[in-house]
Amino acid sequence: MKIYFADGGSTFMDNSRVGYNSCSLICRTEPFPEGTYSQSCEIDDVFTQKEAQSIGNRATSYVVNDGWSIERAVRYIEQKMLEEKGLRKPE
């Protein structure tokens, strides 16, 4: 299954104050309309669409707030959810 990420359309830049720059990222389980710049990430097929959306939503937080790459954030959340399902042992 794939999850898709695109710019959320709201970027706030305040170069006069440290930490006030922000951006947004949205996630969907369906592709964005043609012409929308987006990035997809493959996840394990054991997840339902609702769980896939949850992975994407949680991953966006790591991307926006902590500067992680989309791939790293998705893999981290995916691993946590697989462990919760008992499908992978903690590393």
Side-chain angles (χ1 to χ4, degrees):
M1 177 182 302
K2 284 186 176 182
I3 49 180
Y4 302 85
F5 297 87
D7 181 358
S10 64
T11 301
F12 174 76
M13 302 292 274
D14 183 352
N15 295 322
S16 67
R17 299 174 72 184
V18 174
Y20 279 81
N21 296 346
S22 68
C23 63
S24 63
L25 184 68
I26 53 175
C27 173
R28 294 173 34 168
T29 57
E30 299 295 324
F32 285 91
E34 191 172 325
T36 303
Y37 177 77
S38 65
Q39 181 177 340
S40 65
C41 197
E42 191 80 31
I43 61 169
D44 200 305
D45 286 334
V46 300
F47 295 110
T48 64
Q49 273 204 275
K50 185 176 179 180
E51 290 170 327
Q53 185 67 52
S54 177
I55 290 171
N57 292 342
R58 291 169 63 186
T60 60
S61 177
Y62 284 99
V63 172
V64 171
N65 297 325
D66 299 323
W68 288 21
S69 70
I70 290 173
E71 184 74 23
R72 178 181 176 202
V74 168
R75 293 295 152 244
Y76 178 76
I77 300 300
E78 180 183 34
Q79 177 65 30
K80 291 281 187 198
M81 289 184 72
L82 285 169
E83 289 171 10
E84 289 170 11
K85 286 178 162 267
L87 298 174
R88 292 220 179 125
K89 294 184 193 252
E91 293 180 10

